[in-house]
Amino acid sequence: GGVRSLMVRVFKTGRAQAMARMQDGDFTRSMREAQMAVLQGDGSKMQELRKSELKAVADECKEDLEAIWEAYGADKDGNLSDTDTEKMCEVAISAYNKALESTLAAGLKEEIAESLSAIEEGLLVDCPKIPKENLPELKKEAENMVETQIPAASQAATEPLCTKQTYDKFKQLMDENKDGKVSKDEFLAQFYGAMNGIYPVMQIQELVGEAMSSELEKLIARFTIEEEKKGEGNGKEGADESSKRG
């Protein structure tokens, strides 16, 4: 639990730094120049940018990273063992899920608000018939659903990552000098970058979003069932009356 919390803080720091860089005009200019250089066959500028990004995270999170390293220890040669690398990677995937939860929740709640607004204004095709007075309750339940179900959805989305292939890639990405080992210095410098290399953020966000959308549809259906039943009942009664008259 303690180590996972430290990792969550590292990932949140890294993502916050990335967001801040995107607002920095000097950085965006440097990124454009580096991308142009890559197209011309020169990847050195991009490598330097990536190194500076990782160094910024490592510097700000030095104490947390030191504590994470100590928690897993090192073998007699002072390197991270393969067994501990696998354990670390499993916990780190879970920690990255946790670090993303607040971002995912905020985005999904915004989508829910937009969907309910469209329902209220009758802007959707085949718009569900939900009494306006029930919309606040629906919104409350939908937001509660997001808070309670995102962790399970994230775990389900990342379960396929927990494989030996992923663990090997995690180790390779931290092994900066490619000697087949991960030293403490390599771990401190490369841990955050290695996690970004194995954790497909956009794909996980998409999978979690799809799972939540499915659950939201079920919730909306539950709120519309009574209204639809009434409509079906009225239609049947009307048909019966017509047959009697005929």
Side-chain angles (χ1 to χ4, degrees):
V3 174
R4 181 172 178 260
S5 298
L6 294 174
M7 290 181 178
V8 170
R9 196 154 60 196
V10 170
F11 297 141
K12 283 187 172 182
T13 298
R15 289 181 64 78
Q17 286 186 2
M19 291 295 290
R21 280 193 296 273
M22 296 309 292
Q23 306 300 319
D24 182 341
D26 289 340
F27 174 81
T28 53
R29 276 192 296 275
S30 297
M31 178 58 77
R32 281 197 298 271
E33 289 172 5
Q35 289 169 339
M36 289 299 294
V38 168
L39 292 174
Q40 294 167 6
D42 177 11
S44 59
K45 289 183 178 179
M46 186 63 77
Q47 286 178 351
E48 286 304 313
L49 271 182
R50 295 305 181 206
K51 279 184 182 178
S52 68
E53 290 171 21
L54 293 180
K55 186 176 185 306
V57 177
D59 288 347
E60 187 168 344
C61 300
K62 190 171 190 303
E63 287 185 15
D64 287 341
L65 289 167
E66 293 264 7
I68 293 167
W69 174 266
E70 293 302 323
Y72 287 93
D75 61 22
K76 56 182 173 43
D77 297 320
N79 300 309
L80 193 65
S81 71
D82 286 347
T83 301
D84 282 335
T85 300
E86 290 187 11
K87 290 178 182 175
M88 179 188 287
C89 189
E90 280 187 10
V91 176
I93 289 170
S94 172
Y96 216 130
N97 286 347
K98 182 67 178 175
L100 281 177
E101 277 178 22
S102 57
T103 303
L104 285 169
L108 287 166
K109 284 178 180 178
E110 189 174 326
E111 286 181 24
I112 286 168
E114 289 174 0
S115 295
L116 295 186
S117 177
I119 289 172
E120 184 175 10
E121 295 174 25
L123 300 178
L124 300 180
V125 176
D126 297 327
C127 191
K129 295 176 182 176
I130 302 173
K132 287 188 178 182
E133 62 269 21
N134 290 351
L135 287 173
E137 184 185 353
L138 172 56
K139 183 180 180 184
K140 184 178 178 182
E141 284 202 33
E143 290 183 346
N144 182 59
M145 177 200 72
V146 166
E147 294 289 350
T148 56
Q149 295 192 28
I150 275 184
S154 298
Q155 184 180 347
T158 50
E159 265 180 18
L161 290 180
C162 297
T163 64
K164 188 176 186 305
Q165 184 179 0
T166 299
Y167 306 146
D168 289 346
K169 184 178 179 182
F170 179 61
K171 178 181 178 179
Q172 290 164 10
L173 290 170
M174 286 194 291
D175 179 16
E176 197 171 11
N177 64 6
K178 306 305 176 192
D179 65 352
K181 303 169 186 175
V182 178
S183 67
K184 181 178 180 179
D185 286 344
E186 286 176 323
F187 165 78
L188 295 176
Q190 300 298 324
F191 171 71
Y192 179 70
M195 273 308 298
N196 279 328
I198 66 164
Y199 191 104
V201 175
M202 298 301 290
Q203 182 184 340
I204 298 305
Q205 286 178 327
E206 188 175 323
L207 288 171
V208 173
E210 287 173 0
M212 291 292 99
S213 293
S214 175
E215 292 302 314
L216 179 59
E217 284 177 12
K218 292 176 190 175
L219 187 60
I220 289 174
R222 183 159 64 80
F223 271 77
T224 59
I225 282 172
E226 291 306 314
E227 187 74 11
E228 287 174 358
K229 277 183 179 175
K230 287 176 190 173
E232 288 168 8
N234 291 338
K236 187 174 184 297
E237 288 162 16
D240 290 343
E241 287 299 318
S242 297
S243 61
K244 285 176 186 175
R245 284 195 298 270

